[in-house]
Every structure is written in C-alpha cells, then in structure tokens.
Amino acid sequence: MQCVKVLGGVLGAAALLGLGIILGHFAIPKGTDLPAPSASASQDLDLEILEAVMGQLDANRIRENLRELSKEPHLATSPRDEALVQLLLRRWQDPESGLDSAGTSEYEVLLSFPSQKQPNRVDVVGPAGDILFSSQRSEENLTGEQGDPNVVPPYAAYAPPGTPQGLLVYANRGSEEDFMELYQQGIKLQDSIVLTRYGGVGRRAKAVNAAKYGVAGVLVYTDPADINDGKSLPNETFPHSWGLPPSGVERGSYFEYFGDPLTPYLPANPSSFRLDSDNASGFPPIPTQPIGFKDAEVLLCNLQGASAPAAWQGALGCDYKLGPGFRSDGIFPAGSQVNVSVYNRLELRNSSNVLGIIRGAVEPDRYVLYGNHRDSWVHGAVDPSSGTAVLLELSRVLGTLLKKGTWRPRRSIVFASWGAEEFGLIGSTEFTEESFSKLQERAVAYINVDISVFANATLRAQGTPPVQSVIFSAAKQIRAPGPGSLSIYDNWIRYSNRSSPVYGLVPSLGTLGASSDYAPFIHFLGISSMDIAYTYDRSKTSARIYPTYHTAFDTFDYVDKFVDPGFSSHQAVAQTVGSVLLRLSDSLFLPLNVSDYSETLRSLLQAAQQDLGGLLEQHNISLGPLVTAVEKFEEAATVLGQHVSALQKGTPDPLQVRMLNDQLMLLERTFLNSRAFPEERYYSHVLWAPRTGSVPTFPGLSNACSKAMNTGPGSAAWAEVQRQLSILVVALEGAAATLRPVADL
C-alpha cells in the first residue's frame, strides 16, 4: 500500500506529487512564505555560495553519519531499515538544517528471504547417505558484528527452493562458453551440481546457463584470485587487511530484471495489477547457493578428473580439476555427492522511499534529483551507507543555508533514499513508474552516489556524454585528498584517461550499465544521469570490487581502518557531488554539453563502418542513412553550442533561457524507443541498452548483426538488422531536430 506523509515546513502553495515531488509552475506562487532572498529570472550560480558549501562539508560529520547508518544490519524492510527511514525524516525536518519538506512513499513488493526454521546448507553426502562435510551456515565472527542476530545468513535471493544432489563439477565463472567447454570435453553435466566463481557473467546467468545443460544445482564462491590478489590466509585478510576472510560470502539478488517482480511497468500500489508469482519471469531456474572460499577449497581441491584450463585456475592452493565427482585419494570416498538444500521463500513486504525537497526559486518545476539506496545485505558500511553518509552531510549544509535564508536554488532539488535496491533497484524503479510523465517532462538530471568510496586513490565517474563537462568543471575546482596540490581532475587523469579528438587527454568517463539506481532513470526515462565515487588504483589490485562486498565484514571499522582512514575521500566525493548538484540546480543555462554526444556517436559509427560495413553490403544494407543522421546531429549540436555562447554574452529574456534549457534537458529522451528491444525489460535507450554482440557499436545494431551472421539472405534475422538500423536513424534525426531552433519545424 502506498501512503504519502508530508512532514516539516510545508510551503503554503507547494504540493507533493504522489511520490513526494513538489508540483511547480515555473515560478513561486505569490504569498508563499519562503525564507530566501528575492528571486530573479536571471538568477545564476553564485560562486560564493558554491565556495561556502565546499568549505562546510565536514569529513568528521560524514564519519559519524556512517557510524550511525552502519551500526546494525539493515536488510530491506527490516526494523532497522525502517528506523533509518525515520532518521532521514528527522534530519530533513530539522528546524535548523532541514529541507522545505520531506515524505515517504510505500510500495508492497515481492522480496526473497532464507527460511529461519530451515537454514540453507551445502553437504557432501557419502555413498551410504551419511553427511561427511557441511558448509558454514554463517560467516566467522571475527569482530563481533558478524554475530549480530540480525545478520541474514548467506543466500541467493530469488533462487527457488529445492534439495538437488549430484556429482560436483567445476564450471569456472558459469558463462555459456564455460559450459560449452565442459560439454566439448565430455564432462557429464546432467543432474550434476556445479561450482562456479563470481565474476564474468551476472549472478542469475550462471544458473540459467547451467540449467540449459541439465545441471540440478549451482554453488557460487568468490575466489581469492579475483578479490584478494591471491591472498587467502586468515592473517592476510580482514581484520588484518582489507582482504575478504575465508568465510566471507557474497550475498546478492539473482533476479534478472529491475523493479518489483510482480508489477513490471506499474508501481507496486494496491490498485496495480499483479502477476502471480508462479507466472513471474526472471527468477533463477534451479536452486543456487553462495559459499565462502574456505568451503569452496574443500570441495574444489578434492575433485577428480582433468585439470581445468589455465584461465580457470585460482588461488586456493591446489590444481583445479573439472570433475565430475571427488577423487578416490582425497578426503571423501569415491561416489560421494554434493547436496544443495535451499529453503528460500518469497514474501510481499512494504518498502519505503524517502524524499526530501528544496523548492526552486525560479523554476520549481525543474527537478535535479540526487539519490542513493538505503538498504544493505548486512551492515553495509561501504554499500550503500558510504553514499548515504555523504548525502546526509550535503543535505545538512544546503539545508542550513536554506533555513538561514541566504540561499535557495534556481531549480528544485530532490534528495532520495531508495528502498529495496539490493533486490533489484526496486524503490527507484517504482518511483520512476509512478512518476513517469512528471519526470519525463521536468527532470533535469539524476545524480547517483551509491558506494561513495570503494577506496581512496581517485575519482571514478560514469554518465551520459552531456554530463561530462559539469563533472569535469567540478573536479577541476576541488583539491584531491592526500599530499600535494593536485585537483581531483588532475589526480583522476593520472589513473584513468583517454584521448579525445576534441579535448585531448581527459579523464575517462565510464558508461552506465544497470548496477545501481541510475538504471531506470537513464534506460527507462531517458534522463541524463551519472554515478560518482572514489575508487582504487587498478594498477595495484586485480580485485573486481572492494573485497568485503555484500558480506558481514563490510562494517564501519572496515571503512575507518582500511578503505578511507580520515574520510578525506568521502569528503572529496561530497564536494564533487555538491558542486555538480549546485551547477545543475543554480546555473542560468544548464551545464549539459550536448556536443559531447557527437564524439560518442562518431565513435559508434566508425566501429559499425569498420567491423560491419562489409558484411552489411553483402546483404544490400547501407549505412548511408546512419552516416547522414550522425552528421545532422553533429551540425545541430554545433549550431546550438554557438547559440548558447551568444546568449551567455547577452542579456537573454527568461523565455529564451527556458527554451534553450528545455532543448538541453530533453535531448536524452529523443534516444528512447520503447519498441526497440522487446526482449528486454525497461531498456528503451537505443545508445545504452545491453550489448551482446562483439562489435562495440550501437547496441541494437551490434546485437542484431551478431544473430544474423550465420543466417541466409532474406532471413528474419537480417530483417531485424534493417529494423534496428531504421530505429537508430529515426532516433538520431529526432535528436538533431530537438537541438535545432525551437521555431524551426
């Protein structure tokens, strides 16, 4: 059931949308009691305010925020999760540092939990049926936090219940190629249990790929070669270093899609149609259970059979064999099998989003959104509480300026704490489903800060091309943590860079996938989005992510001692995000550089020409229309950039500013086509949808060509290539048209 609670200083004429966004009408209504300086239609970014905000963001306050947020496990919908909802509301209601208003919205969503009465387990069963070995059911209590009664045992969320038993086979990362390798080697997979390691492919994909070969159950572990740079001994790992301890187990959602599983494309409200859970898609097809590498070592190092390929070997201190079954000279008698007992259950639970709003002084109907999820698998100090600790500090500083009456943004700012992200981006997706029209009409950009600090070496940013310039501008003005006087930008470029034909050497801006709450904003709504964090030096570690990810060892002390002592990197992220937020909310002209899309489009086009051009010509398919469409976009973007420069030098009237900003804001929407990828859920963006083809070009074209290569001329697969090409051309022509003068029809 959805409910909206309006709390705190509610503005006289302000209302909340169904999910807590203020309804605006381009200007603040007369009679509204606003403690802010007089607004002007020409209000622009105030550099003194920006500098004041940068100076007031306090590392010690962020540290204390994190201590409070992560002191107890807060699995989605748990009592502690709901307690954090109230903490956020209290902060955003505070009379001295609160926001204009704050509220919650609640959704009834389908989650997955392990049974409390029947714990999941993995056993080695002897030929006579006796249990010879059992995996650990919980992680070792090394620092006290792991023994908290609210620590959820390791499990694979949404994996179906079952008790399969069979001979063990090692399947590397569980990719399609890995299973094909086993099949070609004659390894019997039917009715087996396979042991896979994290990485390579998504969690659910391991079970899907296994099921295709008749596998009965899947085990997943984290190999120390992938996370600890090969270190596996207890004295080499946490609490002695940041490495994953041998008993550490990565929890996670094994659901394929994002959003509530029972209400795709609909908010999980009482009035919404719900699928029957038996008919819902996207769940793993066979029982699956994660284990620690200490238990994986017992299983893997006693397998028989041929040695695994060199690329499949790891750091458990033995030669990895493929199986099936255990060797006769090992610790288990010949014929011993592995039993995987999974007792997960599906349950409808109420999950809350929390929204805090600062109403814009000039354009309250334009929203700059900044969010992070609140829920974690266990204590979640890094994921996600490092991000929430930063969010709370930034909202405190801005709220204090607001309450003092010294500042109010030009556009509205929406702070968001999403619920149930770990189960599949549920809170943010339900929000975008419920506010689809409002957000498409009014949202300027979405800033995501999930894990704010993976490690303390350098900034890492991902986003769509138009946000590159505003991130760069912010990073250039802030000093990087540590000795020396380098800016965050100059430090970043040392660790990750690329050569731009326009700008020369610049930091690398990553692309957005679907691993955090920005996904529904960019893929479903076409809102310019970004994700910002501090991360590690990849030349010094091969870790695929910080080692205690989704385990009971991701605690406050872990962050305080190993990830970011002194919290200077947390402060740097807060300053970077704060600068980006103020530039987007306060600048007269939106700092979205649409010309930066030209470089991306040209690169994607060149890949298509070089790697697919000859093949397409053989099937009488021309890239000519696509070339022309890219050129039209480049021309329109250049002309618009010149128009922006001219207006910035003059004294534009408010309508000119508004029209131009709408062109900048709405560009991303022009790349949406809800029919482009019918096999995908929520993916509508023709430039950033998942790419399964090997050619690094436009995803729809790459994927279609990959499927068509082995089919004959005139096949349905080649017709799909032509359809995808047409979709691209129409999208790019529409984007160019959006950038041309508004009166040019």
Side-chain angles (χ1 to χ4, degrees):
M1 176 180 179
Q2 181 203 5
C3 64
V4 176
K5 305 170 187 175
V6 181
L7 304 165
V10 182
L11 303 179
L16 295 179
L17 290 182
L19 297 181
I21 294 183
I22 293 177
L23 288 168
H25 299 284
F26 189 61
I28 301 170
K30 293 181 179 179
T32 301
D33 184 15
L34 294 175
S38 58
S40 165
S42 61
Q43 178 180 330
D44 205 348
L45 178 67
D46 187 325
L47 295 180
E48 290 186 3
I49 291 290
L50 177 61
E51 188 66 24
V53 170
M54 297 299 99
Q56 291 171 30
L57 292 166
D58 190 317
N60 287 327
R61 287 181 180 270
I62 297 173
R63 182 176 184 271
E64 291 310 308
N65 285 342
L66 185 64
R67 187 196 300 275
E68 176 65 22
L69 291 165
S70 62
K71 72 178 182 181
E72 297 177 36
H74 46 287
L75 189 66
T77 73
S78 67
R80 179 59 181 171
D81 181 37
E82 291 306 309
L84 292 182
V85 169
Q86 299 306 313
L87 182 150
L88 283 152
L89 290 174
R90 287 195 303 272
R91 296 286 186 94
W92 290 345
Q93 286 180 271
D94 188 280
E96 295 183 354
S97 60
L99 312 179
D100 286 327
S101 57
T104 64
S105 54
E106 195 171 85
Y107 303 94
E108 189 176 36
V109 299
L110 187 72
L111 304 183
S112 168
F113 300 98
S115 171
Q116 293 180 333
K117 296 181 179 179
Q118 288 184 291
N120 295 350
R121 56 186 294 164
V122 177
D123 300 313
V124 175
V125 181
D130 50 328
I131 295 177
L132 306 175
F133 169 81
S134 295
S135 66
Q136 293 181 300
R137 299 184 189 179
S138 61
E139 288 145 308
E140 189 175 350
N141 188 7
L142 298 178
T143 58
E145 293 96 338
Q146 297 77 36
D148 189 303
N150 293 315
V151 171
V152 67
Y155 76 113
Y158 297 109
T163 57
Q165 182 170 310
L167 296 177
L168 186 67
V169 174
Y170 173 53
N172 193 31
R173 303 185 191 279
S175 68
E176 292 185 27
E177 294 77 12
D178 292 337
F179 281 104
M180 179 58 70
E181 173 72 18
L182 292 171
Y183 176 78
Q184 291 175 345
Q185 289 204 30
I187 305 293
K188 185 178 182 295
L189 292 168
Q190 184 70 36
D191 299 324
S192 68
I193 303 297
V194 298
L195 175 63
T196 65
R197 57 206 267 190
Y198 276 117
V201 297
R203 300 184 187 100
R204 178 182 176 273
K206 300 176 192 295
V208 170
N209 295 334
K212 293 176 182 177
Y213 289 84
V215 171
V218 177
L219 300 176
V220 191
Y221 80 101
T222 302
D223 197 288
D226 303 325
I227 206 74
N228 284 352
D229 297 311
K231 295 181 174 65
S232 60
L233 299 178
N235 63 358
E236 297 176 317
T237 58
F238 183 74
H240 305 287
S241 77
W242 86 322
L244 177 68
S247 67
V249 185
E250 179 183 322
R251 299 149 181 82
S253 175
Y254 284 64
F255 181 55
E256 179 179 8
Y257 307 115
F258 42 93
D260 172 44
L262 301 185
T263 58
Y265 295 103
L266 298 170
N269 294 333
S271 61
S272 291
F273 168 76
R274 276 183 166 77
L275 299 169
D276 186 283
S277 60
D278 292 335
N279 297 326
S281 60
F283 300 140
I286 53 179
T288 304
Q289 175 67 19
I291 61 174
F293 68 75
K294 180 179 180 180
D295 289 330
E297 179 182 354
V298 175
L299 301 177
L300 187 50
C301 292
N302 282 283
L303 277 180
Q304 65 178 356
S307 291
W312 293 26
Q313 298 294 327
L316 291 180
C318 65
D319 180 31
Y320 291 12
K321 305 289 188 180
L322 297 177
F326 297 108
R327 68 177 193 267
S328 58
D329 62 343
I331 63 174
F332 305 123
S336 296
Q337 298 185 339
V338 172
N339 178 277
V340 180
S341 296
V342 175
Y343 301 103
N344 295 347
R345 71 187 191 281
L346 297 173
E347 186 175 334
L348 284 172
R349 291 280 190 92
N350 291 326
S351 179
S352 300
N353 291 337
V354 189
L355 299 178
I357 296 97
I358 299 177
R359 184 177 172 82
V362 182
E363 300 181 76
D365 63 333
R366 290 294 179 261
Y367 314 138
V368 180
L369 299 104
Y370 166 30
N372 177 33
H373 70 101
R374 181 184 62 257
D375 64 302
S376 66
W377 286 112
V378 196
H379 294 83
V382 178
D383 181 12
S385 300
S386 65
T388 304
V390 165
L391 182 148
L392 284 173
E393 173 61 1
L394 183 54
S395 65
R396 179 194 69 82
V397 171
L398 295 181
T400 300
L401 292 175
L402 183 73
K403 293 301 184 183
K404 288 181 177 179
T406 57
W407 167 83
R408 179 171 291 280
R410 179 184 181 89
R411 304 175 186 90
S412 294
I413 296 173
V414 180
F415 293 99
S417 173
W418 310 119
E421 184 268 1
E422 294 291 10
F423 288 84
L425 318 183
I426 289 178
S428 55
T429 302
E430 301 312 300
F431 173 77
T432 58
E433 289 169 336
E434 189 161 31
S435 294
F436 181 89
S437 296
K438 292 286 185 185
L439 292 173
Q440 278 212 318
E441 293 169 1
R442 304 178 180 183
V444 170
Y446 175 69
I447 304 168
N448 194 71
V449 182
D450 183 336
I451 297 172
S452 70
V453 178
F454 291 85
N456 57 6
T458 179
L459 191 73
R460 185 218 69 180
Q462 301 165 293
T464 52
V467 307
Q468 173 179 270
S469 60
V470 68
I471 296 174
F472 285 1
S473 294
K476 288 176 180 178
Q477 300 302 314
I478 303 163
R479 192 179 70 82
S485 58
L486 286 179
S487 68
I488 286 178
Y489 179 92
D490 290 331
N491 184 64
W492 181 11
I493 209 170
R494 294 167 58 211
Y495 289 95
S496 177
N497 59 67
R498 67 180 182 87
S499 179
S500 164
V502 178
Y503 305 111
L505 194 68
V506 295
S508 295
L509 182 75
T511 58
L512 296 172
S515 61
S516 192
D517 290 301
Y518 52 74
F521 289 92
I522 180 58
H523 297 301
F524 183 43
L525 294 182
I527 294 169
S528 294
S529 301
M530 69 196 82
D531 184 82
I532 297 174
Y534 237 72
T535 191
Y536 38 80
D537 180 352
R538 291 197 172 273
S539 70
K540 295 182 178 179
T541 178
S542 61
R544 62 182 180 86
I545 197 168
Y546 73 96
T548 65
Y549 174 68
H550 287 188
T551 74
F553 304 106
D554 182 0
T555 62
F556 173 79
D557 283 344
Y558 180 77
V559 176
D560 201 31
K561 293 178 181 178
F562 300 112
V563 175
D564 188 25
F567 280 70
S568 60
S569 294
H570 283 78
Q571 183 182 41
V573 171
Q575 290 171 328
T576 304
V577 173
S579 180
V580 169
L581 181 64
L582 284 174
R583 290 168 190 272
L584 287 167
S585 65
D586 282 12
S587 296
L588 178 63
F589 296 100
L590 286 175
L592 299 174
N593 189 353
V594 297
S595 291
D596 285 342
Y597 244 129
S598 298
E599 189 176 336
T600 298
L601 295 176
R602 178 59 61 177
S603 175
L604 294 172
L605 174 61
Q606 288 174 347
Q609 291 172 316
Q610 293 169 8
D611 298 334
L612 297 175
L615 178 66
L616 293 172
E617 285 181 7
Q618 293 174 19
H619 292 268
N620 297 317
I621 299 174
S622 173
L623 286 174
L626 182 59
V627 173
T628 301
V630 170
E631 290 172 347
K632 287 180 179 178
F633 180 91
E634 292 171 334
E635 179 184 357
T638 299
V639 172
L640 184 68
Q642 294 169 347
H643 180 51
V644 171
S645 297
L647 288 178
Q648 288 174 331
K649 295 174 183 177
T651 309
D653 65 58
L655 183 57
Q656 286 180 305
V657 174
R658 178 72 164 196
M659 289 191 298
L660 174 59
N661 283 339
D662 280 355
Q663 289 176 282
L664 301 174
M665 179 183 77
L666 296 173
L667 171 65
E668 206 76 60
R669 321 289 201 266
T670 65
F671 296 117
L672 297 182
N673 187 316
S674 61
R675 302 296 181 93
F677 312 105
E679 73 283 1
E680 301 283 358
R681 187 178 292 180
Y682 296 107
Y683 288 103
S684 300
H685 202 298
V686 301
L687 304 182
W688 305 120
R691 180 174 58 81
T692 56
S694 60
V695 178
T697 184
F698 303 96
L701 181 62
S702 180
N703 299 347
C705 286
S706 178
K707 293 176 181 178
M709 281 181 180
N710 296 320
T711 66
S715 68
W718 282 110
E720 176 62 14
V721 172
Q722 292 178 313
R723 189 180 80 92
Q724 288 294 338
L725 197 54
S726 294
I727 286 171
L728 273 175
V729 170
V730 170
L732 294 181
E733 289 179 342
T738 296
L739 298 183
R740 294 192 188 103
V742 175
D744 183 1
L745 298 179

